[in-house]
Amino acid sequence: MFKQNTMRYLSLAGFSWMIPVFKLATGENPREQGQEILRQIGLPVLAVLIFLAIWSTLAARVDTSLGTFPGPAAVYSAAQGLVAEHKAEREKADAFYQRQVERNEKKLAKNPDAEVKIREYTGKATFIDQIFTSLKTVFTGFVVASLIAIPIGVACGLSPLLNAAIAPLIQIFKPVSPLAWLPLVTMVVSAVYVSDDPLFAKSFVNSAITVTLCCMWPTLINTAVGVASIDKDLINVGRVIRLGWVTRVRKIAIPASLPMIFTGLRISLGIGWMVLIAAEMLAQNPGLGKFVWDEFQNGSSESLARIMVAVITIGFIGFLLDSLMQTLHKVIARGEANS
Amino acid sequence: MSWYKRLTKASPVKTKSTSRHLVKVALSALAIGVSGASLAAEPEKEELKFGFIKLTDMAPLAIAYEKQFFEDEGLYVTLEAQANWKVLLDRVIDGQLDGAHMLAGQPLGATIGFGTQAHIITAFSMDLNGNGITVSNEVWEQMKPGIPKQADGKPVHPIKADYLKPVVEKYKAQGKPFNMGMVFPVSTHNYELRYWLAAGGIHPGYYAPLKGDISGQIDADALLSVTPPPQMPATLEAGTIYGYCVGEPWNQQAVFKGIGVPVITDYEIWKDNPEKVFGVSKEWADKYPQTHIAVVKAMIRAAKWLDDNNNANRPEAVKILSQSNYVGADYEVIANSMTGTFEYEKGDKREVPDFNVFFRYNATYPYYSDAVWYLTQMRRWGQIPEHKPDSWYMDIAKKVYRPDIYAAAAKELIAEGKMAASDFPDFAKETGFKPPQTEFIDNITYDGSKPNEYLSKFAIGLKPADTLK
């Protein structure tokens, strides 16, 4: 039983390639598992190694005005440099807070009524800070988009009339590039979002809204299609036993269309992540996109390698986000199946 | 004090801070009475955001931050790179930025309403010199044969635009527009490039805002257009422009990348010319006078640090500037000009010890005569479309340049023992006008007190009575 459970969790978490290793460790047919390991782990590793070799040889031949294109080694050392910078900046931040405390004490000693407070660090955002900024932004935009798209999608799926009414709007707005929205969003936010002490920075709101506008469509369409294509028998059963509209949606429509909804969410999150990087680059809003653009503007000999680190990071995070959605989908689907 | 507490509790925030401020001033006045030493009042606003453009002459801001001169004044400053000069100015005007590293022409241009109209003032001049004019390799190859050589085969400097003239004429004859880049219509670079071109007989074009033509290309032999500094090398490489005038590190960058050759530095066009200033809106300065003084104090100390012991601190400054959040270019590229050398052609490195001056020669003092010079150039090229009397030039200079605020900051620094009186001009005697300056590339003398007379000396440019309609 323990074995079964472990294997199930591994596959849930997207670590199905670990299963043969686990089986081998628990003493199952070594030869069969060995072949399986080669297929599931060996091949991808080999492909990555071949890719790295090709990258190294080709990169050395591309000579830009900022020096040769960075190969894997240069990118690795740039990554180390970025981590070291992050640590140095943290130390500077600590010293900054320390100095504030001392200064505040002095101030209070001079004048007991003086107002003192500790201020946020004013130094630069490091690469790692930017990663978290981007993640925060993309999740905000994505969650807002889902909260808008799923209800509308369900309504469209249940009512062919509404679907027909909204269809042209969806068709027109779906293909719009995020960068076309961005200037409009920026202007509207500047005009509408005015407060002396805003809860969120304007730049954050701009990026999040742009993400929302671009990544709601796949969820909306998939939800609508999923709900519309539910087995008619289910709907009829709901009618026969006189379920209320809300219950019908909650107990029948949503569970039955869950796979489609999740497919939509996965696509949405992927699009949101792409859009966000572009929006950050264009609007100079904090995040990984800004990091890339800043490095490009700096034009130092390190710049290309650092941009490459960012590119790989962006790809890796995109992959993680996708796996996360997959896992979530499996978990929820199982929960539904068990209940 | 309980009545005071009651008063502040019952009153809204604004009066609270002002009454608190009054009490603080009263207290500090008392302290002065008691101790005899001046004690700076607390700044009204402690958290500030300043904008800058990624150029080496933003150094006073970076140093004031990194060396904690801002913190010494009780200021917590965030420095933020801006996309371009227009965005930077707009953000100062609408209050998103408290102040910024600005082109000397920006506060003047904004105040007289060329471009965006807003009353901007400056109490601190950030540096002297620091720009260069670079041409593409192709243009340099065509210029080079005509330029006289030294004994060692290297070109004699300064190189005048006279040697560029035949190249421009050749392009004109072929029907190709000779495009050049500068960073902003009211930038020092625009006026320096125009000055150099006109001194060599190449017409850089007029502006005619009355006709609604602000391209600055009327009657032009060389067509000047705006390109953001960091994009200059890329634009030159793409062949969109044949040359540009820009601050460092973007001239040296062209040499490093092997895409262009700097032909002249602005030091050779006009020796020790004022370059950047620290600008704030008039409204901001009126609202936070003590904060403004504190900012100027920190920046004066930073400028002095940059020039101390004959530039001894420059390598450390370059290291700071090469951080990606400031200028971000390679150490070697920034170090070139900051440490007193300038590389023209690849391998032709020459000593230019005053390429970047931050404090010497009273570089930080906002001279009225510097303001008037920029106004004369705006008039010369038509940005100021109609004749103005000499008194108008004085009035605008006094409206924008604020040596009084500078003096207040300097006196506090002297009282605190952080600086000596000898570091500054003699405030009791200083008129704000430098004696007539003669070291221009065309040898025309500039006397800041006679702008119209100065304007009538140029062969190319609008005469005092001219109006383009």
Side-chain angles (χ1 to χ4, degrees):
Chain A
M1 195 62 220
F2 156 76
K3 226 163 112 170
Q4 290 298 327
N5 273 343
T6 311
M7 282 188 333
R8 219 177 37 222
Y9 287 127
L10 279 176
S11 87
L12 262 185
F15 288 113
S16 48
W17 49 271
M18 279 295 292
I19 292 175
V21 177
F22 175 72
K23 279 183 172 168
L24 191 69
T26 53
E28 278 190 38
N29 181 354
R31 198 166 146 204
E32 200 179 299
Q33 298 313 324
Q35 279 175 348
E36 196 59 17
I37 287 175
L38 274 182
R39 207 172 61 82
Q40 293 227 16
I41 301 177
L43 274 179
V45 168
L46 187 70
V48 168
L49 286 175
I50 290 172
F51 168 74
L52 288 178
I54 294 173
W55 174 16
S56 284
T57 41
L58 286 184
R61 294 184 190 183
V62 181
D63 211 355
T64 70
S65 56
L66 293 179
T68 52
F69 194 84
V75 171
Y76 180 70
S77 72
Q80 284 178 312
L82 285 169
V83 173
E85 252 174 49
H86 176 76
K87 284 187 181 140
E89 200 65 27
R90 279 287 162 276
E91 277 165 26
K92 268 177 80 176
D94 292 341
F96 174 86
Y97 288 121
Q98 188 54 39
R99 286 200 302 274
Q100 277 198 74
V101 172
E102 286 165 17
R103 213 166 280 126
N104 286 346
E105 278 169 4
K106 260 194 217 152
K107 228 178 177 179
L108 287 171
K110 232 191 275 181
N111 171 16
D113 290 351
E115 260 183 71
V116 295
K117 60 174 184 180
I118 295 288
R119 289 165 191 77
E120 282 292 308
Y121 180 53
T122 54
K124 72 163 176 184
T126 62
F127 180 65
I128 291 161
D129 296 335
Q130 300 288 39
I131 292 176
F132 284 107
T133 308
S134 284
L135 282 172
K136 224 167 47 193
T137 318
V138 82
F139 273 113
T140 309
F142 172 69
V143 167
V144 172
S146 307
L147 289 177
I148 297 170
I150 293 175
I152 296 180
V154 170
C156 286
L158 288 174
S159 153
L161 288 177
L162 186 67
N163 198 11
I166 294 190
L169 288 178
I170 295 175
Q171 297 301 346
I172 288 169
F173 286 125
K174 187 173 68 106
V176 176
S177 154
L179 307 182
W181 283 115
L182 196 65
L184 301 173
V185 171
T186 309
M187 288 335 263
V188 171
V189 168
S190 295
V192 177
Y193 188 67
V194 187
S195 77
D196 279 343
D197 191 17
L199 186 58
F200 301 111
K202 257 186 200 159
S203 55
F204 171 80
V205 176
N206 286 338
S207 304
I209 291 180
T210 309
V211 169
T212 299
L213 284 173
C214 290
C215 77
M216 56 193 276
W217 311 111
T219 306
L220 204 163
I221 293 164
N222 272 294
T223 308
V225 171
V227 173
S229 57
I230 297 172
D231 199 342
K232 284 284 169 285
D233 292 347
L234 284 175
I235 303 274
N236 291 338
V237 165
R239 283 222 182 92
V240 169
I241 56 173
R242 301 257 175 102
L243 287 177
W245 191 82
V246 177
T247 326
R248 249 188 291 165
V249 169
R250 220 168 47 105
K251 288 283 180 196
I252 298 171
I254 290 190
S257 55
L258 212 55
M260 283 297 277
I261 293 180
F262 262 97
T263 312
L265 287 174
R266 253 181 82 185
I267 299 172
S268 280
L269 189 55
I271 288 183
W273 183 239
M274 267 191 188
V275 163
L276 174 71
I277 304 296
E280 283 169 350
M281 267 176 115
L282 193 71
Q284 293 290 292
N285 293 338
L288 281 170
K290 181 173 163 56
F291 174 87
V292 169
W293 191 248
D294 282 351
E295 282 302 334
F296 174 61
Q297 293 287 325
N298 286 344
S300 79
S301 53
E302 275 276 278
S303 288
L304 290 178
R306 290 159 75 111
I307 290 172
M308 206 61 216
V309 174
V311 166
I312 291 169
T313 310
I314 291 166
F316 195 70
I317 291 175
F319 167 65
L320 281 182
L321 291 178
D322 201 53
S323 310
L324 182 80
M325 289 305 292
Q326 253 180 310
T327 305
L328 208 63
H329 179 193
K330 284 179 188 161
V331 169
I332 288 180
R334 262 186 65 230
E336 288 295 332
N338 293 349
S339 63
Chain B
M1 279 310 249
S2 62
W3 60 269
Y4 164 65
K5 270 191 185 145
R6 265 209 306 278
L7 180 89
T8 53
K9 270 219 178 72
S11 59
V13 180
K14 274 228 166 76
T15 47
K16 179 172 155 185
S17 62
T18 43
S19 56
R20 177 179 295 276
H21 177 66
L22 282 176
V23 170
K24 275 182 190 155
V25 173
L27 278 176
S28 57
L30 273 178
I32 293 167
V34 174
S35 67
S38 125
L39 196 127
E42 295 282 340
E44 306 86 348
K45 188 178 182 188
E46 295 175 330
E47 285 165 77
L48 303 170
K49 189 184 254 186
F50 296 147
F52 69 91
I53 298 288
K54 290 182 169 256
L55 294 164
T56 45
D57 54 20
M58 62 75 66
L61 281 168
I63 298 303
Y65 178 88
E66 295 287 338
K67 293 279 147 197
Q68 294 147 35
F69 295 144
F70 281 135
E71 287 180 41
D72 288 349
E73 302 298 332
L75 302 170
Y76 295 92
V77 173
T78 307
L79 298 176
E80 194 181 74
Q82 305 296 310
N84 58 53
W85 292 113
K86 185 174 181 342
V87 169
L88 174 137
L89 183 63
D90 288 347
R91 296 189 71 198
V92 170
I93 292 168
D94 69 16
Q96 290 182 61
L97 294 172
D98 293 292
H101 162 229
M102 286 186 189
L103 298 152
Q106 274 187 301
L108 294 160
T111 304
I112 62 172
F114 184 80
T116 321
Q117 154 70 39
H119 192 170
I120 303 285
I121 65 167
T122 176
F124 180 86
S125 163
M126 283 179 73
D127 62 323
L128 305 179
N129 314 321
N131 298 332
I133 295 174
T134 296
V135 297
S136 69
N137 291 337
E138 185 192 355
V139 171
W140 175 245
E141 287 313 317
Q142 299 172 57
M143 275 175 79
K144 207 173 164 180
I147 301 170
K149 307 285 184 294
Q150 295 170 176
D152 61 1
K154 288 178 179 168
V156 175
H157 281 239
I159 296 172
K160 293 191 168 182
D162 304 52
Y163 307 111
L164 180 66
K165 199 175 159 82
V167 184
V168 175
E169 277 165 357
K170 199 169 96 189
Y171 276 78
K172 248 180 118 170
Q174 293 171 350
K176 278 198 260 180
F178 194 85
N179 295 321
M180 294 187 89
M182 46 82 183
V183 308
F184 203 62
V186 295
S187 65
T188 46
H189 318 78
N190 186 16
Y191 304 123
E192 282 158 7
L193 183 54
R194 285 166 174 271
Y195 200 98
W196 180 70
L197 289 170
I202 303 168
H203 199 305
Y206 290 129
Y207 294 82
L210 292 181
K211 288 201 295 190
D213 184 343
I214 47 169
S215 66
Q217 299 180 341
I218 301 172
D219 304 340
D221 300 326
L223 304 173
L224 275 47
S225 58
V226 171
T227 307
Q231 273 138 41
M232 287 285 189
T235 316
L236 186 75
E237 202 175 6
T240 317
I241 51 176
Y242 302 116
Y244 55 71
C245 179
V246 71
E248 273 310 297
W250 310 112
N251 296 291
Q252 296 294 273
Q253 191 84 295
V255 182
F256 267 68
K257 290 181 168 186
I259 56 175
V261 177
V263 287
I264 190 165
T265 63
D266 62 343
Y267 177 81
E268 298 159 298
I269 298 172
W270 173 21
K271 188 177 160 191
D272 294 338
N273 62 84
E275 168 58 34
K276 298 285 190 315
V277 297
F278 180 77
V280 298
S281 74
K282 170 93 173 31
E283 205 183 339
W284 184 92
D286 289 346
K287 205 165 155 191
Y288 309 114
Q290 205 52 52
T291 311
H292 195 184
I293 289 174
V295 171
V296 173
K297 277 167 73 181
M299 292 188 64
I300 290 175
R301 288 179 69 199
K304 181 167 187 297
W305 182 91
L306 278 160
D307 279 6
D308 258 350
N309 319 329
N310 214 349
N311 297 358
N313 295 325
R314 292 287 177 94
E316 188 186 342
V318 174
K319 211 169 148 158
I320 290 171
L321 288 177
S322 64
Q323 291 175 20
S324 60
N325 53 327
Y326 295 131
V327 182
D330 283 358
Y331 178 92
E332 293 75 20
V333 176
I334 303 175
N336 239 357
S337 62
M338 277 284 272
T339 49
T341 58
F342 193 80
E343 190 167 8
Y344 293 89
E345 260 183 299
K346 233 187 175 60
D348 183 1
K349 237 185 206 191
R350 306 194 187 198
E351 292 290 317
V352 189
D354 282 344
F355 187 86
N356 280 112
V357 174
F358 293 100
F359 193 71
R360 293 187 285 276
Y361 323 129
N362 296 328
T364 50
Y365 189 77
Y367 282 98
Y368 292 138
S369 52
D370 293 345
V372 171
W373 189 82
Y374 282 109
L375 291 167
T376 61
Q377 299 306 299
M378 290 177 190
R379 174 71 193 114
R380 180 182 178 185
W381 304 118
Q383 291 176 335
I384 298 170
E386 288 161 309
H387 172 71
K388 302 282 184 191
D390 283 3
S391 61
W392 178 88
Y393 289 90
M394 308 301 152
D395 292 346
I396 297 293
K398 285 183 173 152
K399 216 169 139 179
V400 178
Y401 276 48
R402 296 293 300 274
D404 54 315
I405 296 172
Y406 180 95
K411 282 170 186 159
E412 276 187 23
L413 286 171
I414 296 168
E416 290 163 12
K418 287 172 181 152
M419 304 277 263
S422 58
D423 289 329
F424 299 106
D426 182 350
F427 295 120
K429 291 204 193 97
E430 184 56 63
T431 58
F433 284 89
K434 290 180 180 169
Q437 293 163 73
T438 53
E439 288 161 306
F440 286 86
I441 191 150
D442 54 5
N443 298 319
I444 292 177
T445 302
Y446 166 63
D447 178 349
S449 60
K450 304 190 183 82
N452 278 306
E453 185 190 294
Y454 179 57
L455 278 170
S456 55
K457 294 178 187 171
F458 294 111
I460 297 181
L462 295 178
K463 298 286 175 290
D466 291 349
T467 306
L468 281 182
K469 280 213 175 87

PDB file of all heavy atoms in Angstrom, chain A residues 276-288:
ATOM      1  N   LEU A 276       3.170  39.027 -19.363  1.00  0.00           N
ATOM      2  CA  LEU A 276       3.725  39.831 -18.272  1.00  0.00           C
ATOM      3  C   LEU A 276       5.141  40.300 -18.605  1.00  0.00           C
ATOM      4  O   LEU A 276       5.467  41.468 -18.432  1.00  0.00           O
ATOM      5  CB  LEU A 276       3.735  39.019 -16.979  1.00  0.00           C
ATOM      6  CG  LEU A 276       4.425  39.754 -15.838  1.00  0.00           C
ATOM      7  CD1 LEU A 276       3.571  40.914 -15.387  1.00  0.00           C
ATOM      8  CD2 LEU A 276       4.710  38.848 -14.678  1.00  0.00           C
ATOM      9  N   ILE A 277       5.965  39.381 -19.097  1.00  0.00           N
ATOM     10  CA  ILE A 277       7.352  39.748 -19.396  1.00  0.00           C
ATOM     11  C   ILE A 277       7.373  40.854 -20.448  1.00  0.00           C
ATOM     12  O   ILE A 277       8.106  41.840 -20.327  1.00  0.00           O
ATOM     13  CB  ILE A 277       8.145  38.513 -19.894  1.00  0.00           C
ATOM     14  CG1 ILE A 277       8.072  37.388 -18.867  1.00  0.00           C
ATOM     15  CG2 ILE A 277       9.575  38.874 -20.204  1.00  0.00           C
ATOM     16  CD1 ILE A 277       8.702  37.678 -17.533  1.00  0.00           C
ATOM     17  N   ALA A 278       6.530  40.715 -21.467  1.00  0.00           N
ATOM     18  CA  ALA A 278       6.482  41.738 -22.513  1.00  0.00           C
ATOM     19  C   ALA A 278       6.009  43.071 -21.940  1.00  0.00           C
ATOM     20  O   ALA A 278       6.587  44.125 -22.226  1.00  0.00           O
ATOM     21  CB  ALA A 278       5.549  41.285 -23.625  1.00  0.00           C
ATOM     22  N   ALA A 279       4.980  43.018 -21.102  1.00  0.00           N
ATOM     23  CA  ALA A 279       4.440  44.255 -20.533  1.00  0.00           C
ATOM     24  C   ALA A 279       5.470  44.942 -19.646  1.00  0.00           C
ATOM     25  O   ALA A 279       5.638  46.161 -19.689  1.00  0.00           O
ATOM     26  CB  ALA A 279       3.180  43.952 -19.727  1.00  0.00           C
ATOM     27  N   GLU A 280       6.181  44.165 -18.867  1.00  0.00           N
ATOM     28  CA  GLU A 280       7.207  44.749 -17.987  1.00  0.00           C
ATOM     29  C   GLU A 280       8.303  45.404 -18.806  1.00  0.00           C
ATOM     30  O   GLU A 280       8.821  46.462 -18.447  1.00  0.00           O
ATOM     31  CB  GLU A 280       7.813  43.668 -17.094  1.00  0.00           C
ATOM     32  CG  GLU A 280       6.916  43.277 -15.936  1.00  0.00           C
ATOM     33  CD  GLU A 280       7.398  42.028 -15.231  1.00  0.00           C
ATOM     34  OE1 GLU A 280       8.319  41.372 -15.759  1.00  0.00           O
ATOM     35  OE2 GLU A 280       6.860  41.717 -14.162  1.00  0.00           O
ATOM     36  N   MET A 281       8.663  44.772 -19.919  1.00  0.00           N
ATOM     37  CA  MET A 281       9.704  45.342 -20.764  1.00  0.00           C
ATOM     38  C   MET A 281       9.262  46.673 -21.330  1.00  0.00           C
ATOM     39  O   MET A 281      10.004  47.642 -21.328  1.00  0.00           O
ATOM     40  CB  MET A 281      10.005  44.396 -21.931  1.00  0.00           C
ATOM     41  CG  MET A 281      11.135  43.466 -21.636  1.00  0.00           C
ATOM     42  SD  MET A 281      11.360  42.341 -22.978  1.00  0.00           S
ATOM     43  CE  MET A 281      12.951  42.828 -23.547  1.00  0.00           C
ATOM     44  N   LEU A 282       8.045  46.711 -21.805  1.00  0.00           N
ATOM     45  CA  LEU A 282       7.573  47.906 -22.498  1.00  0.00           C
ATOM     46  C   LEU A 282       7.306  49.050 -21.523  1.00  0.00           C
ATOM     47  O   LEU A 282       7.678  50.186 -21.774  1.00  0.00           O
ATOM     48  CB  LEU A 282       6.296  47.575 -23.268  1.00  0.00           C
ATOM     49  CG  LEU A 282       5.896  48.641 -24.273  1.00  0.00           C
ATOM     50  CD1 LEU A 282       6.867  48.623 -25.442  1.00  0.00           C
ATOM     51  CD2 LEU A 282       4.498  48.394 -24.778  1.00  0.00           C
ATOM     52  N   ALA A 283       6.675  48.721 -20.398  1.00  0.00           N
ATOM     53  CA  ALA A 283       6.258  49.788 -19.490  1.00  0.00           C
ATOM     54  C   ALA A 283       7.306  50.077 -18.425  1.00  0.00           C
ATOM     55  O   ALA A 283       7.124  50.951 -17.601  1.00  0.00           O
ATOM     56  CB  ALA A 283       4.943  49.401 -18.817  1.00  0.00           C
ATOM     57  N   GLN A 284       8.412  49.331 -18.447  1.00  0.00           N
ATOM     58  CA  GLN A 284       9.449  49.528 -17.438  1.00  0.00           C
ATOM     59  C   GLN A 284       8.907  49.319 -16.038  1.00  0.00           C
ATOM     60  O   GLN A 284       9.285  50.024 -15.103  1.00  0.00           O
ATOM     61  CB  GLN A 284      10.053  50.940 -17.564  1.00  0.00           C
ATOM     62  CG  GLN A 284      10.837  51.143 -18.832  1.00  0.00           C
ATOM     63  CD  GLN A 284      12.124  50.352 -18.824  1.00  0.00           C
ATOM     64  OE1 GLN A 284      13.017  50.633 -18.069  1.00  0.00           O
ATOM     65  NE2 GLN A 284      12.186  49.328 -19.637  1.00  0.00           N
ATOM     66  N   ASN A 285       7.975  48.369 -15.921  1.00  0.00           N
ATOM     67  CA  ASN A 285       7.468  48.044 -14.596  1.00  0.00           C
ATOM     68  C   ASN A 285       8.374  47.008 -13.967  1.00  0.00           C
ATOM     69  O   ASN A 285       8.911  46.152 -14.648  1.00  0.00           O
ATOM     70  CB  ASN A 285       6.052  47.469 -14.695  1.00  0.00           C
ATOM     71  CG  ASN A 285       5.072  48.522 -15.163  1.00  0.00           C
ATOM     72  OD1 ASN A 285       5.334  49.712 -15.018  1.00  0.00           O
ATOM     73  ND2 ASN A 285       3.971  48.096 -15.734  1.00  0.00           N
ATOM     74  N   PRO A 286       8.550  47.072 -12.637  1.00  0.00           N
ATOM     75  CA  PRO A 286       9.460  46.142 -11.978  1.00  0.00           C
ATOM     76  C   PRO A 286       9.129  44.698 -12.317  1.00  0.00           C
ATOM     77  O   PRO A 286       7.957  44.356 -12.464  1.00  0.00           O
ATOM     78  CB  PRO A 286       9.218  46.404 -10.493  1.00  0.00           C
ATOM     79  CG  PRO A 286       8.594  47.729 -10.411  1.00  0.00           C
ATOM     80  CD  PRO A 286       7.905  47.986 -11.720  1.00  0.00           C
ATOM     81  N   GLY A 287      10.140  43.874 -12.430  1.00  0.00           N
ATOM     82  CA  GLY A 287       9.945  42.466 -12.744  1.00  0.00           C
ATOM     83  C   GLY A 287      11.044  41.990 -13.680  1.00  0.00           C
ATOM     84  O   GLY A 287      11.951  42.741 -14.006  1.00  0.00           O
ATOM     85  N   LEU A 288      10.920  40.729 -14.103  1.00  0.00           N
ATOM     86  CA  LEU A 288      11.955  40.143 -14.948  1.00  0.00           C
ATOM     87  C   LEU A 288      12.066  40.835 -16.299  1.00  0.00           C
ATOM     88  O   LEU A 288      13.151  40.967 -16.849  1.00  0.00           O
ATOM     89  CB  LEU A 288      11.666  38.652 -15.164  1.00  0.00           C
ATOM     90  CG  LEU A 288      12.065  37.764 -13.985  1.00  0.00           C
ATOM     91  CD1 LEU A 288      11.526  36.372 -14.183  1.00  0.00           C
ATOM     92  CD2 LEU A 288      13.577  37.726 -13.852  1.00  0.00           C
TER      93      LEU A 288
END
